[in-house]
């Protein structure tokens, strides 16, 4: 289900047994691929419920450049919310998920194993309130940027001889 941050807070407060321990992850999820799916399935196994913080279109542009995202945030949220391992999606406008982490205070903050606690701005916040940061091993080394580069290279007109 897709929530606003306020509605998600209310749902968690109303039914803590449905949500706790809460696992939070975040990202752009521009073109969903098998690496994303496996990562989200593994994150879901860490707790009772998985919430995805989804970067808004404007925050994706700040992070990835003006040519991104390929898919608008409402559509990215709908696809993620349809996955069986995902309990909630909330779109956020900031460059990092720090506000989401501070607000939701998940028991577990999950990110891909290509990160380290030192490269996660949210890690210090999670650790300060006693939460746990979990880095999930990357099973399928794929990236949206590489997929886009491959598509562009395949469909770029050939230079004249």
């Amino acid at each position: 289900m897709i929530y606003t941050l306020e509605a998600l807070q209310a749902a968690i407060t109303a039914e803590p047994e449905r949500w706790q321990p809460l696992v939070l992850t975040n990202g752009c999820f521009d073109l969903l691929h098998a690496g994303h799916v496996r990562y989200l399935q593994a994150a879901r196994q860490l707790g009772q419920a998985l919430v995805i913080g989804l970067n808004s279109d404007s925050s994706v542009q700040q992070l990835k450049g003006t040519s991104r995202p390929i898919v608008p945030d409402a559509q990215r949220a709908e696809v993620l919310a349809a996955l069986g391992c995902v309990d909630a999606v909330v779109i956020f406008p900031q460059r990092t998920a720090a506000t989401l982490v501070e607000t939701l205070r998940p028991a577990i903050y999950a990110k891909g194993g290509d990160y380290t606690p030192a490269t996660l701005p949210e890690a210090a916040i999670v650790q300060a309130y006693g939460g746990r940061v979990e880095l999930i091993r990357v099973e399928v080394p794929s990236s949206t940027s590489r997929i886009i580069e491959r598509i562009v290279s395949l469909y770029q007109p050939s230079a004249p001889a």
Side-chain angles (χ1 to χ4, degrees):
M1 185 166 188
I2 303 167
Y3 291 85
T4 65
L5 183 53
E6 297 75 21
L8 181 56
Q9 277 184 286
I12 293 168
T13 300
E15 293 184 275
E17 67 284 351
R18 178 189 173 324
W19 297 93
Q20 300 298 341
L22 180 69
V23 180
L24 173 67
T25 192
N26 67 281
C28 300
F29 300 99
D30 196 3
L31 296 177
L32 201 60
H33 54 71
H36 288 139
V37 173
R38 289 189 192 180
Y39 161 71
L40 294 172
Q41 289 171 331
R44 176 62 176 78
Q45 295 303 310
L46 298 172
Q48 179 66 24
L50 175 62
V51 172
I52 299 177
L54 180 65
N55 287 85
S56 69
D57 291 346
S58 63
S59 67
V60 172
Q61 288 177 351
Q62 292 172 39
L63 293 166
K64 306 284 187 180
T66 57
S67 64
R68 300 277 299 275
I70 302 298
V71 179
D73 53 20
Q75 291 179 29
R76 290 184 283 127
E78 184 177 337
V79 170
L80 289 167
L83 296 175
C85 60
V86 176
D87 297 282
V89 177
V90 59
I91 298 171
F92 68 96
Q94 298 85 10
R95 285 176 59 95
T96 74
T99 299
L100 284 181
V101 170
E102 290 169 347
T103 303
L104 298 176
R105 297 174 63 95
I108 300 141
Y109 179 63
K111 287 296 280 185
D114 49 339
Y115 288 93
T116 67
T119 61
L120 289 175
E122 303 86 355
I125 300 165
V126 174
Q127 293 162 344
Y129 66 74
R132 192 171 90 225
V133 174
E134 286 286 335
L135 300 177
I136 298 172
R137 185 174 64 85
V138 175
E139 287 189 30
V140 179
S142 188
S143 83
T144 299
S145 296
R146 278 190 250 133
I147 292 170
I148 293 168
E149 288 168 6
R150 175 130 170 85
I151 292 169
V152 168
S153 73
L154 288 172
Y155 293 97
Q156 212 167 30
S158 300

